[in-house]
Amino acid sequence: MKLQRHGTIACLALTAVLGLSACGSDNNEPASGASASGSAAAADCATGTLNAQGSSAQKNAMAEWIKAYQQKCAGSTINYEPSGSGAGIQAFIAGTADFAGSDSALKPEEQPQADAKCAGGAAIHLPMVIGPVAVAYNVSGVDNLQLKPATLAKIFAGKVTKWDDPAIKADNPDAKLPSTTIQTVHRSDESGTTDNFTKFLAKTSAADWTFENAKAWKAPGGTGAKGSDGVASSVKGADGSIGYMEWSFAENAGLKMAKIGNGAGEFAELTAENAGKTIAGAKIEGQGDDLKMSVDYATKEAGAYPIVLVTYEIVCSKGIAADKLPLVKGLLGHAASAQGQAELTELGYAPLPDSVRTKVEAAVKNLS
């Protein structure tokens, strides 16, 4: 019931903020030219096998899409391994993944390697999942924790080591903070979630976060855990701990989440509406069907929750094997549809703004 309620709120909030055209049960009318039996949808069905891997942040989204597609389309086998963004990109470059999920764009040195796998085309980024990054904590007796970006940076850089540190007290003047030692938890595998989290720290707190941003965790100390689910499990199991993870994993683990300071000087709670305010300001910086997006982590939008990641499917624009192409287009077409995006709201994700979703849908149709 909790996730169902959460999904309804998320859908309503994103409708208001981003003008999403369809949410949940409101999307039951057949599209123009489609019969009530769903014959238009059936035309996108394909048989065969796909193997993909990458971002663990989008694991739950991909599982939902695969389930929905295979229920609609018999004769397809689709495997998605949540091996982490870095591993997914390397698998795509090596030719062992038909597409890769990644929470950050290809590095300049990776782009030509990925392009080489695309005969006559290039590797493009298709934003599919909007995932706010939660800062979850487990500190006995502490609720409603709020942290400025600089304080968060000091904690994860190892400069603040006790929960009753003056920096945390300054952000939480009414809280009774224990002297418990802080245990930070970070990803042990290369991860776009780490890349986005450290990008937020680097962009907003350069004086306190001197490690820049990267998929691999670079700061000293702390405990590493594999995947967003591993980080969530570690935080849940240790008093005094704090970690970053994609929102749905914090929700599913029942963890408390900190309010984060934004560019407007407010402490913003992680809600779909507040995350949507940051998403609405994201810009597409890629060319043509390459839809890389740039998020303003220092957004001054009132109420905006500023730590938001965009998860891409990295796929060839051209040169996809003939026996794979129909199934790639069928699955990603479903993911980019209004129905596919609406399926995410019950899982703790935010649907794509419709202005972006329609561009992704068009790009999928252009795959060859």
Side-chain angles (χ1 to χ4, degrees):
M1 291 301 292
K2 179 181 179 182
L3 284 179
Q4 177 66 45
R5 185 175 69 254
H6 173 81
T8 302
I9 294 171
C11 201
L12 292 173
L14 269 293
T15 300
V17 174
L18 303 174
L20 186 70
S21 64
C23 279
S25 60
D26 294 334
N27 193 35
N28 290 332
E29 292 299 319
S32 176
S35 70
S37 63
S39 59
D44 295 327
C45 287
T47 58
T49 299
L50 288 183
N51 293 302
Q53 62 172 287
S55 163
S56 66
Q58 72 166 11
K59 177 180 75 172
N60 295 339
M62 190 58 66
E64 178 65 30
W65 287 329
I66 290 171
K67 176 184 172 184
Y69 185 80
Q70 290 182 324
Q71 284 179 342
K72 182 178 69 173
C73 301
S76 63
T77 300
I78 305 168
N79 304 305
Y80 182 81
E81 180 185 352
S83 56
S85 297
I89 288 171
Q90 291 308 309
F92 180 79
I93 290 172
T96 57
D98 297 310
F99 63 87
S102 180
D103 305 327
S104 54
L106 291 165
K107 297 175 184 176
E109 64 269 23
E110 291 172 336
Q111 186 71 55
Q113 294 176 294
D115 290 345
K117 298 298 176 180
C118 306
I124 59 173
H125 304 76
L126 302 179
M128 283 293 187
V129 181
I130 301 295
V133 179
V135 177
Y137 63 97
N138 176 3
V139 185
S140 295
V142 177
D143 297 304
N144 302 314
L145 184 70
Q146 48 192 33
L147 298 168
K148 291 179 180 177
T151 308
L152 193 60
K154 289 172 185 173
I155 289 171
F156 279 91
K159 298 175 182 177
V160 167
T161 61
K162 298 287 186 179
W163 278 107
D164 60 354
D165 187 276
I168 301 177
K169 283 185 175 181
D171 292 351
N172 301 271
D174 299 325
K176 186 176 181 180
L177 298 164
S179 59
T180 309
T181 298
I182 296 172
Q183 300 182 55
T184 59
V185 185
H186 57 264
R187 290 283 291 273
S188 59
D189 51 327
E190 287 203 3
S191 162
T193 308
T194 297
D195 195 25
N196 281 271
F197 180 66
T198 55
K199 193 175 294 181
F200 167 77
L201 298 179
K203 295 284 187 184
T204 59
S205 310
D208 297 296
W209 185 260
T210 57
F211 308 98
E212 299 183 341
N213 65 281
K215 289 191 182 77
W217 186 258
K218 293 186 174 182
T223 300
K226 183 173 174 58
S228 288
D229 48 354
V231 174
S233 178
S234 293
V235 171
K236 189 168 186 175
D239 183 40
S241 60
I242 184 170
Y244 60 91
M245 67 209 69
E246 198 278 330
W247 187 20
S248 63
F249 291 90
E251 283 270 306
N252 292 340
L255 294 170
K256 292 180 283 190
M257 291 169 265
K259 295 179 181 178
I260 303 299
N262 60 22
E266 304 166 322
F267 288 107
E269 181 182 357
L270 175 44
T271 66
E273 181 178 7
N274 290 347
K277 291 174 180 177
T278 299
I279 298 164
K283 295 178 174 61
I284 293 175
E285 57 182 20
Q287 301 296 317
D289 285 341
D290 186 24
L291 303 175
K292 286 186 290 189
M293 300 185 76
S294 176
V295 175
D296 180 10
Y297 295 103
T299 176
K300 292 182 171 59
E301 181 69 30
Y305 181 85
I307 320 178
V308 180
L309 65 81
V310 178
T311 291
Y312 302 100
E313 311 311 331
I314 297 174
V315 65
C316 288
S317 60
K318 295 181 181 179
I320 301 174
D323 62 331
K324 303 281 189 179
L325 179 62
L327 192 49
V328 170
K329 294 180 74 170
L331 176 67
L332 298 186
H334 171 73
S337 69
Q339 177 185 348
Q341 287 294 306
E343 288 166 0
L344 301 184
T345 59
E346 294 182 11
L347 302 175
Y349 300 104
L352 290 170
D354 214 40
S355 58
V356 176
R357 187 195 64 75
T358 53
K359 290 183 174 68
V360 176
E361 199 169 37
V364 171
K365 289 178 181 177
N366 290 337
L367 298 178
S368 63

